[in-house]
Amino acid sequence: MPISLPYFLDGTSLVDSTAVYSNSALTIPAPDGYYSDGINIREQLMGVLLPVQPCPSCGYPCNIEGDLSGDEGEYRMTIDTGILPATTGAIVIRFRVGNAPDGMIVNYDGNVYNEFSSPFFGYLAGAPGGPTYLGNSAPLIPPCTLLGPHTLNVFDWNGSVFIPSGGTNTINVAAGELALTAGAPDDATSWSVLVVPKTAASPSTISLTVYAVCPSTSFLFSIECATKIKKINASTRFETITESYCDASLLNSLYPVRVTGVAPYLGLYDWIFIDPFGDTVAADGYYKTNNVVAPNDTIQVQNGVIIAITDECP
């Protein structure tokens, strides 16, 4: 795994530098070896950097939390999620934006993930294939124009902070990417949650990008290692509450990722899956379970998220 230490470049980024140094005066060459910015890798040999090559597996370790408070920009992360022995399971990503809108998109194994569950509003997602912008729909002070083109400075996560890459990227924010809410989607004690299924040991790296298009922004993130979800007992799905509902046995298994719930209990807006990888959400409907606070006994699921917890079988 990579070791993050303070190194110094004679260029603006790893890509356009000729050498890596151990001191800011650029008089002590760093030891020969491989150096990465999380996206690119270069070998230094006899104090000289060799040509750039892609870095397919140089992600920083998972089970991390990080934050950013600064200017608009494109903030990129490459994370290794396959820490032995738990190399498969659900990758749980928690995102906290508060009021100022920020967009996140997650790429893993050729697939794009952008569906969140907010602790206050439940299921939130932009159009498939693009980022989802979370935040308060109320006008910001100073004003921020979300829709349209934005040219952003690019920053890369180095394991502890975001560092300038030296490049820029122009994006276009479309209306379908906005999932703004009448109030912040989370607060200082809660997170919006996105789940990525990892059903095989390889590939192990996941890429996340946050687009901050407003003049000033602040967000926090948490990325967990892939871990199989613990099951709960439940009934099969019911489209409606019928006379036979309360007689249903709890022989079915569901797999929750908690958003507001505290184990072993479920909470409003928790994710509900039918497998331990978080690959397939539970179908819309009603499920009887004993993992809710009494006297409640029923969860109603929509878009894979609990939208109601009720007492149907007194």
Side-chain angles (χ1 to χ4, degrees), residues 120-295:
F120 301 142
F121 297 95
Y123 180 81
L124 298 173
T132 293
Y133 285 83
L134 303 179
N136 195 333
S137 60
L140 294 175
I141 301 175
C144 173
T145 300
L146 285 174
L147 299 180
H150 298 266
T151 299
L152 305 174
N153 291 322
V154 177
F155 299 82
D156 292 314
W157 177 252
N158 73 351
S160 55
V161 296
F162 288 99
I163 58 173
S165 73
T168 61
N169 186 34
T170 299
I171 64 168
N172 187 72
V173 180
E177 298 171 344
L178 304 185
L180 307 183
T181 47
D186 39 58
D187 62 15
T189 62
S190 64
W191 304 81
S192 297
V193 178
L194 180 151
V195 180
V196 176
K198 186 173 187 287
T199 59
S202 180
S204 64
T205 54
I206 188 170
S207 298
L208 300 85
T209 304
V210 176
Y211 299 101
V213 298
C214 292
S216 61
T217 191
S218 176
F219 63 82
L220 293 87
F221 62 90
S222 166
I223 305 169
E224 299 178 8
C225 296
T227 304
K228 290 186 176 66
I229 307 168
K230 294 182 178 179
K231 70 178 181 180
I232 63 169
N233 297 322
S235 69
T236 55
R237 180 183 72 99
F238 285 76
E239 290 189 12
T240 59
I241 301 296
T242 64
E243 291 184 3
S244 63
Y245 175 82
C246 291
D247 295 326
S249 59
L250 306 183
L251 300 180
N252 188 36
S253 294
L254 294 177
Y255 298 84
V257 172
R258 289 170 175 83
V259 177
T260 66
V262 178
Y265 300 112
L266 302 176
L268 196 62
Y269 305 135
D270 288 356
W271 282 105
I272 301 294
F273 298 93
I274 62 172
D275 62 89
F277 305 98
D279 192 28
T280 305
V281 296
D284 291 359
Y286 299 86
Y287 299 83
K288 181 182 174 185
T289 179
N290 55 8
N291 280 81
V292 288
V293 177

Side-chain angles (χ1 to χ4, degrees), residues 45 49 66 92 103 152 159 171 175 206 299:
L45 183 63
L49 284 170
V92 178
L152 305 174
I171 64 168
I206 188 170
I299 58 172

Side-chain angles (χ1 to χ4, degrees), residues 48-79:
V48 177
L49 284 170
L50 301 184
V52 177
Q53 38 185 315
C55 186
S57 59
C58 289
Y60 291 96
C62 50
N63 280 347
I64 60 166
E65 287 189 13
D67 61 70
L68 185 283
S69 181
D71 296 327
E72 58 190 341
E74 178 178 313
Y75 297 90
R76 306 183 301 189
M77 293 163 271
T78 301
I79 305 298

